[in-house]
Amino acid sequence: NACTNIQEAGDASEDGDSLQVKEGTYKLLAQVAITNGLTLRIAGGYTGNGDERGEGYSVLARDSSVTSMRIVYIKDSNVIMDGLVVSNGLLCGAAKSSHYGLGVNAVNSTLMITNCIVTKNSDNRHTHNYYGGGLRQSGGTLTIVDSIFSNNVLASATDNSMAYGGAIYAENVQSDIRNSKFINNQVA
């Protein structure tokens, strides 16, 4: 059956597992962290009736009560994200190391994003360098297929710091992007 607590299901996963996430909106109080070195598929849009997928997505979004939070953090793992919406990541005033990937931050990982929407992730007039409004990946392999990155915004700096990649910032990454759309992402 489809899971409704993504972090708990991920923590209990074994190598090669597939998490079927029930369609709907998940208001997160903390980022979803996948750092256990597993190969894991997180697939959204399931109805909750066995392996049946519905017409909708599973939306992972920051709860409005949380001031500052990225949505997904992946480190030293192999992850496939399929049928998810990653939305409303907001980083402001946090430690400098937090200013990487407002929607998704992947480090030394193999990441495939397919049939996903990464949207409305932003910062709040930063005073540190920012990298990747929708996604930042450092090291590893990145594949994006049939996905949309839209309305991800890095705001103007209030000092001499810089912002890089309204939609994506990738460094030391082998990347392959196909059949995907990038709409209204900005470094403003």
Side-chain angles (χ1 to χ4, degrees):
N1 286 338
C3 69
T4 57
N5 188 314
I6 300 156
Q7 189 64 61
E8 283 182 10
D11 291 344
S13 294
E14 296 181 10
D15 197 41
D17 277 356
S18 179
L19 301 182
Q20 296 177 345
V21 183
K22 190 172 181 179
E23 62 187 346
T25 299
Y26 296 84
K27 298 287 187 171
L28 304 175
L29 298 173
Q31 70 183 0
V32 174
I34 304 162
T35 60
N36 48 10
L38 297 180
T39 295
L40 184 64
R41 179 176 182 261
I42 306 170
Y46 283 85
T47 63
N49 299 320
D51 290 336
E52 185 179 319
R53 267 184 127 159
E55 296 292 320
Y57 286 88
S58 300
V59 180
L60 310 181
R62 174 185 55 86
D63 187 272
S64 61
S65 68
V66 179
T67 306
S68 182
M69 184 187 89
R70 108 176 16 90
I71 306 302
V72 179
Y73 176 66
I74 301 165
K75 184 174 181 188
D76 301 325
S77 299
N78 301 312
V79 176
I80 297 171
M81 297 172 61
D82 179 10
L84 301 172
V85 175
V86 176
S87 180
N88 203 26
L90 174 68
L91 293 178
C92 55
K96 186 171 180 154
S97 62
S98 304
H99 297 269
Y100 296 95
L102 309 179
V104 178
N105 184 22
V107 180
N108 298 325
S109 296
T110 297
L111 174 60
M112 179 176 200
I113 297 175
T114 183
N115 190 36
C116 289
I117 300 171
V118 179
T119 187
K120 298 181 184 171
N121 298 288
S122 63
D123 70 332
N124 235 5
R125 296 193 59 83
H126 60 276
T127 57
H128 298 297
N129 292 339
Y130 275 79
Y131 301 87
L135 163 71
R136 178 264 191 166
Q137 182 158 349
S138 177
T141 303
L142 171 64
T143 304
I144 299 172
V145 180
D146 298 325
S147 295
I148 298 170
F149 282 73
S150 68
N151 300 306
N152 299 291
V153 179
L154 298 179
S156 299
T158 57
D159 62 6
N160 290 329
S161 57
M162 300 297 292
Y164 306 93
I168 297 173
Y169 180 84
E171 59 184 327
N172 301 317
V173 173
Q174 180 180 348
S175 60
D176 179 16
I177 300 173
R178 291 175 271 138
N179 300 327
S180 295
K181 295 179 183 178
F182 295 86
I183 304 164
N184 200 35
N185 299 286
Q186 309 175 43
V187 175

